[in-house]
Amino acid sequence: RTGKSLANANDLPFSTYSAACAYDKKHNRLYYTPMGINQLRYIDMNGKSPRIFYFEGEAFGNTANLQDEANHITRMVIGADGNGYALSNDGNHLLRFTTGKKAVITDLGNLVDDANNGGVSIHNRCSSWGGDLIADAFGKLHLVSARQAIFEIDVEKRVATFKGYISGLPAGYTTNGAVVDDEGSLVVSSASSIQGYYTVDLASLKATRIESKDKVFNTSDLANGNLALQKEADRKASAVSAAQILSRQLVRN
């Protein structure tokens, strides 16, 4: 709701900072959650001036306080199905929320490591906490952890598959923000470095610095309405459609 009393410091829009946001292209909203408050909020960017809405009465996460780092919601994205997804640092709470007039928030539970992940667990603090989420056009999520680890997440099975580490980034470059550009490439940014933004090929996980004369900012979160693998999904859909048309023609003949 808007027009909240600000007597409570937690009612300030970003009073405890935020480490997770997601852009809802359909409704032109930027969803986010402040750390340690367990509340979903969004900025409505329609109209002359942005308005902030708070969802009350339905918990978003279960962090006890700002020191409860494991339960902080630090990754968020809007999936191909139009729902929002958010993930706690420790990977034990995958949250889904609808983006209609009344948000329905569901804690889907913990993620499970794929059997082939070896020693790199989605729950490991050293390799897999922090970072950001992107979504692809096939319905999967992709976690880019702060330590450059990439996981593919099957939402229905809640299985996280370790794909490898990003190569080609500068020493000390933490990957804190992730987004998909118009060409379908992963773009990462850092909260610890202003050496540049980098594109990452999802197949090879090789990073390439984006050449620009513009100023580079320390960035903890990125968000837009693009999906990874959109071109591949479009080609597959076109091929299926063509096959269906051919099949109907053969049946008529």
Side-chain angles (χ1 to χ4, degrees):
R1 60 187 175 94
T2 56
K4 289 175 65 68
S5 168
L6 300 183
N8 184 344
N10 285 348
D11 287 345
L12 294 170
F14 294 98
S15 62
T16 57
Y17 303 103
S18 176
C21 67
Y23 177 62
D24 175 12
K25 184 177 181 179
K26 180 179 179 181
H27 300 100
N28 197 25
R29 299 170 178 171
L30 186 68
Y31 283 87
Y32 72 97
T33 182
M35 289 189 291
I37 294 182
N38 300 327
Q39 187 178 71
L40 180 64
R41 303 177 180 181
Y42 72 81
I43 302 172
D44 182 1
M45 292 182 285
N46 296 301
K48 293 183 179 180
S49 59
R51 296 181 298 166
I52 296 179
F53 290 79
Y54 302 66
F55 290 98
E56 298 176 317
E58 192 169 2
F60 192 74
N62 65 339
T63 181
N65 50 55
L66 285 174
Q67 287 68 50
D68 184 13
E69 188 178 357
N71 282 308
H72 284 173
I73 302 299
T74 55
R75 295 76 71 97
M76 188 185 293
V77 72
I78 304 297
D81 59 3
N83 292 318
Y85 293 91
L87 185 64
S88 62
N89 260 334
D90 62 8
N92 285 327
H93 297 278
L94 177 63
L95 303 173
R96 180 177 62 204
F97 59 92
T98 59
T99 56
K101 291 185 178 180
K102 176 176 173 54
V104 176
I105 299 169
T106 306
D107 189 339
L108 300 176
N110 63 297
L111 294 179
V112 178
D113 284 306
D114 183 88
N116 296 316
N117 281 3
V120 185
S121 170
I122 190 70
H123 306 289
N124 187 279
R125 179 173 184 169
C126 296
S127 64
S128 310
W129 287 25
D132 208 347
L133 283 171
I134 64 167
D136 71 33
F138 293 98
K140 300 289 181 64
L141 306 181
H142 300 259
L143 168 65
V144 183
S145 81
R147 298 299 177 184
Q148 307 173 10
I150 304 287
F151 291 85
E152 182 182 273
I153 299 172
D154 184 319
V155 176
E156 296 302 319
K157 298 179 180 178
R158 301 202 322 276
V159 172
T161 302
F162 175 61
K163 308 301 289 187
Y165 287 100
I166 299 172
S167 64
L169 293 174
Y173 192 101
T174 56
T175 43
N176 306 99
V179 76
V180 178
D181 67 14
D182 291 340
E183 301 303 316
S185 296
L186 169 65
V187 175
V188 296
S189 63
S190 179
S192 64
S193 174
I194 56 171
Q195 295 186 55
Y197 306 129
Y198 287 77
T199 59
V200 179
D201 179 75
L202 278 175
S204 66
L205 301 188
K206 181 178 180 180
T208 303
R209 187 176 183 275
I210 299 174
E211 297 298 332
S212 175
K213 295 181 180 179
D214 294 333
K215 185 177 181 180
V216 174
F217 295 92
N218 300 86
T219 310
S220 295
D221 290 285
L222 299 175
N224 67 10
N226 294 337
L227 298 171
L229 306 179
Q230 185 65 67
K231 293 178 181 178
E232 291 83 348
D234 290 343
R235 284 196 295 267
K236 182 176 180 180
S238 296
V240 170
S241 178
Q244 290 173 341
I245 292 173
L246 179 59
S247 176
R248 287 196 293 268
Q249 290 173 342
L250 292 174
V251 169
R252 285 198 298 268
N253 293 334

